[in-house]
Amino acid sequence: MKPDTPCVYVGDELARYGFGEGHPFGPDRLGAFWQQACAVGLDRQVRQCAPVSVERAVIERFHTPDYVETVIRQSATGEGYLDCGDTPAFPGIYESACYVVGSVLDAIERILDGDGRQAFVPIAGLHHARRDRAAGFCVFNDCGIAIETLRRQHGLQRIAYVDIDAHHGDGVFYSFEQDPDLSFADLHEDGRYLYPGTGRETETGAGVARGTKLNIPMEPGADDAAFLEAWERVEAFIDAARPEFILFQCGADSIAGDPITHLRYTPAAHRYATQQLLRLARRHCAGRLLAMGGGGYNRGNLALAWTAVVQVLVSG
Ligand SMILES: [Zn+2]
């Protein structure tokens, strides 16, 4: 296997992060993706990596100890909600969420060590969780923990976060709103029509970080042509930021036919975004690009979109 073969994380520990059969975020999502990936031969072209867990202290690089304690407690009983009604607890939810975070951090280590310059973690990109609470199916914000870890453990400073999930990445945006070294670009369905209701064009960062965040709300029904037009701004923005590492939340719920959103892209949008981010990663940071699956509740859509992302990582 060539040293720059991309890493893809698959395994039951990661699949188990889901809220039960029949739930939009069910435990069958990883399997739906991997079946498609294998059908086109990707299983032989990527470095398959087993999910990895983490210690509590790692979670607390981003989350408050009180919140982590709450998750551990509710994970033991499996009862109640971790937020106001979107994110139910289930027995072992803490352990499952730790595998999401650990796999993302393992991917970062492999990328920085040169053991694959790119990686994809399908069950990850849980961009709604705040430092002190769960939100929108997201228990621990692996994106936020990744940013803190890139800074504290790996000494990187300028990080880019790009998000094409239908929902605004509010948990990342507000946690780093005042951070001038986190370049944030997010294309999402206009918050007037979709959860979480945030991400207006005027939200560009706060204080010294003003201008380091790019929010582009898309009209319901926006198609690939609308995506491509908006994407040009994202690309120019990330290019100008000269990142040392690129995080990509490639949520598939922005594709036509998702049961809970109203955008109408095709997987070609995800393919194109990956191609362009890979180009930028090669220009600025030796190809360091980590893709995280994010949302996507139509199983056929997520299988095609995520497979397209990995195909680009494989073929360049
Ligand atoms: Zn979403």
PDB file of all heavy atoms in Angstrom, residues 288-306:
ATOM      1  N   ARG A 288      -2.913  17.874   3.737  1.00  0.00           N
ATOM      2  CA  ARG A 288      -3.595  17.452   4.979  1.00  0.00           C
ATOM      3  C   ARG A 288      -5.073  17.810   4.941  1.00  0.00           C
ATOM      4  O   ARG A 288      -5.451  18.975   5.127  1.00  0.00           O
ATOM      5  CB  ARG A 288      -2.982  18.161   6.181  1.00  0.00           C
ATOM      6  CG  ARG A 288      -1.540  17.816   6.447  1.00  0.00           C
ATOM      7  CD  ARG A 288      -1.001  18.852   7.413  1.00  0.00           C
ATOM      8  NE  ARG A 288       0.393  18.630   7.752  1.00  0.00           N
ATOM      9  CZ  ARG A 288       1.126  19.542   8.383  1.00  0.00           C
ATOM     10  NH1 ARG A 288       0.595  20.714   8.724  1.00  0.00           N
ATOM     11  NH2 ARG A 288       2.378  19.281   8.670  1.00  0.00           N
ATOM     12  N   LEU A 289      -5.880  16.798   4.707  1.00  0.00           N
ATOM     13  CA  LEU A 289      -7.333  16.994   4.583  1.00  0.00           C
ATOM     14  C   LEU A 289      -8.046  15.853   5.298  1.00  0.00           C
ATOM     15  O   LEU A 289      -7.816  14.679   4.997  1.00  0.00           O
ATOM     16  CB  LEU A 289      -7.724  17.019   3.097  1.00  0.00           C
ATOM     17  CG  LEU A 289      -9.219  17.044   2.762  1.00  0.00           C
ATOM     18  CD1 LEU A 289      -9.882  18.333   3.258  1.00  0.00           C
ATOM     19  CD2 LEU A 289      -9.420  16.908   1.252  1.00  0.00           C
ATOM     20  N   LEU A 290      -8.898  16.209   6.245  1.00  0.00           N
ATOM     21  CA  LEU A 290      -9.700  15.209   6.952  1.00  0.00           C
ATOM     22  C   LEU A 290     -11.175  15.463   6.672  1.00  0.00           C
ATOM     23  O   LEU A 290     -11.684  16.549   6.965  1.00  0.00           O
ATOM     24  CB  LEU A 290      -9.438  15.288   8.470  1.00  0.00           C
ATOM     25  CG  LEU A 290     -10.390  14.465   9.347  1.00  0.00           C
ATOM     26  CD1 LEU A 290     -10.326  12.993   9.003  1.00  0.00           C
ATOM     27  CD2 LEU A 290     -10.056  14.673  10.825  1.00  0.00           C
ATOM     28  N   ALA A 291     -11.842  14.474   6.071  1.00  0.00           N
ATOM     29  CA  ALA A 291     -13.271  14.584   5.793  1.00  0.00           C
ATOM     30  C   ALA A 291     -14.059  13.821   6.851  1.00  0.00           C
ATOM     31  O   ALA A 291     -13.671  12.724   7.263  1.00  0.00           O
ATOM     32  CB  ALA A 291     -13.579  14.031   4.398  1.00  0.00           C
ATOM     33  N   MET A 292     -15.171  14.432   7.295  1.00  0.00           N
ATOM     34  CA  MET A 292     -16.039  13.827   8.314  1.00  0.00           C
ATOM     35  C   MET A 292     -17.453  13.758   7.739  1.00  0.00           C
ATOM     36  O   MET A 292     -17.948  14.734   7.172  1.00  0.00           O
ATOM     37  CB  MET A 292     -16.010  14.684   9.573  1.00  0.00           C
ATOM     38  CG  MET A 292     -14.600  14.812  10.155  1.00  0.00           C
ATOM     39  SD  MET A 292     -14.441  16.176  11.338  1.00  0.00           S
ATOM     40  CE  MET A 292     -14.600  17.592  10.268  1.00  0.00           C
ATOM     41  N   GLY A 293     -18.106  12.600   7.913  1.00  0.00           N
ATOM     42  CA  GLY A 293     -19.354  12.331   7.217  1.00  0.00           C
ATOM     43  C   GLY A 293     -20.494  13.302   7.484  1.00  0.00           C
ATOM     44  O   GLY A 293     -21.263  13.627   6.588  1.00  0.00           O
ATOM     45  N   GLY A 294     -20.649  13.742   8.726  1.00  0.00           N
ATOM     46  CA  GLY A 294     -21.732  14.669   9.056  1.00  0.00           C
ATOM     47  C   GLY A 294     -23.108  14.039   8.914  1.00  0.00           C
ATOM     48  O   GLY A 294     -23.289  12.827   9.084  1.00  0.00           O
ATOM     49  N   GLY A 295     -24.102  14.868   8.559  1.00  0.00           N
ATOM     50  CA  GLY A 295     -25.483  14.397   8.459  1.00  0.00           C
ATOM     51  C   GLY A 295     -25.740  13.648   7.157  1.00  0.00           C
ATOM     52  O   GLY A 295     -24.829  13.358   6.376  1.00  0.00           O
ATOM     53  N   GLY A 296     -27.027  13.374   6.910  1.00  0.00           N
ATOM     54  CA  GLY A 296     -27.402  12.587   5.737  1.00  0.00           C
ATOM     55  C   GLY A 296     -28.317  11.487   6.213  1.00  0.00           C
ATOM     56  O   GLY A 296     -27.865  10.562   6.892  1.00  0.00           O
ATOM     57  N   TYR A 297     -29.607  11.597   5.869  1.00  0.00           N
ATOM     58  CA  TYR A 297     -30.598  10.706   6.463  1.00  0.00           C
ATOM     59  C   TYR A 297     -31.305   9.859   5.419  1.00  0.00           C
ATOM     60  O   TYR A 297     -32.062   8.967   5.759  1.00  0.00           O
ATOM     61  CB  TYR A 297     -31.530  11.546   7.355  1.00  0.00           C
ATOM     62  CG  TYR A 297     -30.683  12.326   8.333  1.00  0.00           C
ATOM     63  CD1 TYR A 297     -30.456  13.694   8.195  1.00  0.00           C
ATOM     64  CD2 TYR A 297     -29.966  11.639   9.316  1.00  0.00           C
ATOM     65  CE1 TYR A 297     -29.584  14.358   9.036  1.00  0.00           C
ATOM     66  CE2 TYR A 297     -29.088  12.296  10.160  1.00  0.00           C
ATOM     67  CZ  TYR A 297     -28.900  13.661  10.013  1.00  0.00           C
ATOM     68  OH  TYR A 297     -28.019  14.304  10.830  1.00  0.00           O
ATOM     69  N   ASN A 298     -31.050  10.134   4.148  1.00  0.00           N
ATOM     70  CA  ASN A 298     -31.450   9.253   3.060  1.00  0.00           C
ATOM     71  C   ASN A 298     -30.245   8.342   2.814  1.00  0.00           C
ATOM     72  O   ASN A 298     -29.165   8.807   2.430  1.00  0.00           O
ATOM     73  CB  ASN A 298     -31.781  10.109   1.825  1.00  0.00           C
ATOM     74  CG  ASN A 298     -32.078   9.282   0.603  1.00  0.00           C
ATOM     75  OD1 ASN A 298     -31.383   8.320   0.301  1.00  0.00           O
ATOM     76  ND2 ASN A 298     -33.117   9.666  -0.124  1.00  0.00           N
ATOM     77  N   ARG A 299     -30.430   7.046   3.103  1.00  0.00           N
ATOM     78  CA  ARG A 299     -29.268   6.123   3.096  1.00  0.00           C
ATOM     79  C   ARG A 299     -28.606   6.046   1.720  1.00  0.00           C
ATOM     80  O   ARG A 299     -27.384   5.953   1.604  1.00  0.00           O
ATOM     81  CB  ARG A 299     -29.684   4.730   3.547  1.00  0.00           C
ATOM     82  CG  ARG A 299     -30.350   4.644   4.930  1.00  0.00           C
ATOM     83  CD  ARG A 299     -29.578   5.395   5.986  1.00  0.00           C
ATOM     84  NE  ARG A 299     -30.025   5.081   7.340  1.00  0.00           N
ATOM     85  CZ  ARG A 299     -30.564   5.970   8.183  1.00  0.00           C
ATOM     86  NH1 ARG A 299     -30.742   7.231   7.821  1.00  0.00           N
ATOM     87  NH2 ARG A 299     -30.891   5.616   9.412  1.00  0.00           N
ATOM     88  N   GLY A 300     -29.428   6.059   0.656  1.00  0.00           N
ATOM     89  CA  GLY A 300     -28.855   5.996  -0.690  1.00  0.00           C
ATOM     90  C   GLY A 300     -28.010   7.231  -0.980  1.00  0.00           C
ATOM     91  O   GLY A 300     -26.922   7.139  -1.562  1.00  0.00           O
ATOM     92  N   ASN A 301     -28.485   8.378  -0.549  1.00  0.00           N
ATOM     93  CA  ASN A 301     -27.745   9.625  -0.754  1.00  0.00           C
ATOM     94  C   ASN A 301     -26.410   9.625  -0.023  1.00  0.00           C
ATOM     95  O   ASN A 301     -25.376  10.012  -0.579  1.00  0.00           O
ATOM     96  CB  ASN A 301     -28.563  10.820  -0.246  1.00  0.00           C
ATOM     97  CG  ASN A 301     -29.640  11.260  -1.211  1.00  0.00           C
ATOM     98  OD1 ASN A 301     -29.719  10.750  -2.325  1.00  0.00           O
ATOM     99  ND2 ASN A 301     -30.457  12.195  -0.791  1.00  0.00           N
ATOM    100  N   LEU A 302     -26.445   9.252   1.246  1.00  0.00           N
ATOM    101  CA  LEU A 302     -25.182   9.310   1.996  1.00  0.00           C
ATOM    102  C   LEU A 302     -24.181   8.309   1.425  1.00  0.00           C
ATOM    103  O   LEU A 302     -22.971   8.583   1.362  1.00  0.00           O
ATOM    104  CB  LEU A 302     -25.406   9.135   3.502  1.00  0.00           C
ATOM    105  CG  LEU A 302     -25.770   7.774   4.108  1.00  0.00           C
ATOM    106  CD1 LEU A 302     -24.578   6.874   4.293  1.00  0.00           C
ATOM    107  CD2 LEU A 302     -26.458   7.995   5.456  1.00  0.00           C
ATOM    108  N   ALA A 303     -24.690   7.148   0.970  1.00  0.00           N
ATOM    109  CA  ALA A 303     -23.787   6.147   0.389  1.00  0.00           C
ATOM    110  C   ALA A 303     -23.088   6.708  -0.854  1.00  0.00           C
ATOM    111  O   ALA A 303     -21.868   6.579  -1.020  1.00  0.00           O
ATOM    112  CB  ALA A 303     -24.576   4.887   0.037  1.00  0.00           C
ATOM    113  N   LEU A 304     -23.855   7.374  -1.723  1.00  0.00           N
ATOM    114  CA  LEU A 304     -23.272   7.908  -2.959  1.00  0.00           C
ATOM    115  C   LEU A 304     -22.361   9.111  -2.688  1.00  0.00           C
ATOM    116  O   LEU A 304     -21.283   9.234  -3.269  1.00  0.00           O
ATOM    117  CB  LEU A 304     -24.393   8.312  -3.928  1.00  0.00           C
ATOM    118  CG  LEU A 304     -25.212   7.149  -4.495  1.00  0.00           C
ATOM    119  CD1 LEU A 304     -26.389   7.674  -5.315  1.00  0.00           C
ATOM    120  CD2 LEU A 304     -24.330   6.237  -5.356  1.00  0.00           C
ATOM    121  N   ALA A 305     -22.807  10.003  -1.804  1.00  0.00           N
ATOM    122  CA  ALA A 305     -22.017  11.224  -1.552  1.00  0.00           C
ATOM    123  C   ALA A 305     -20.697  10.897  -0.872  1.00  0.00           C
ATOM    124  O   ALA A 305     -19.632  11.378  -1.275  1.00  0.00           O
ATOM    125  CB  ALA A 305     -22.827  12.200  -0.700  1.00  0.00           C
ATOM    126  N   TRP A 306     -20.741  10.080   0.156  1.00  0.00           N
ATOM    127  CA  TRP A 306     -19.509   9.756   0.880  1.00  0.00           C
ATOM    128  C   TRP A 306     -18.572   8.916   0.020  1.00  0.00           C
ATOM    129  O   TRP A 306     -17.349   9.065   0.088  1.00  0.00           O
ATOM    130  CB  TRP A 306     -19.826   9.047   2.194  1.00  0.00           C
ATOM    131  CG  TRP A 306     -20.552   9.912   3.198  1.00  0.00           C
ATOM    132  CD1 TRP A 306     -20.781  11.262   3.116  1.00  0.00           C
ATOM    133  CD2 TRP A 306     -21.142   9.489   4.438  1.00  0.00           C
ATOM    134  NE1 TRP A 306     -21.481  11.687   4.223  1.00  0.00           N
ATOM    135  CE2 TRP A 306     -21.716  10.631   5.052  1.00  0.00           C
ATOM    136  CE3 TRP A 306     -21.247   8.251   5.090  1.00  0.00           C
ATOM    137  CZ2 TRP A 306     -22.369  10.565   6.292  1.00  0.00           C
ATOM    138  CZ3 TRP A 306     -21.898   8.186   6.318  1.00  0.00           C
ATOM    139  CH2 TRP A 306     -22.447   9.332   6.911  1.00  0.00           C
TER     140      TRP A 306
END
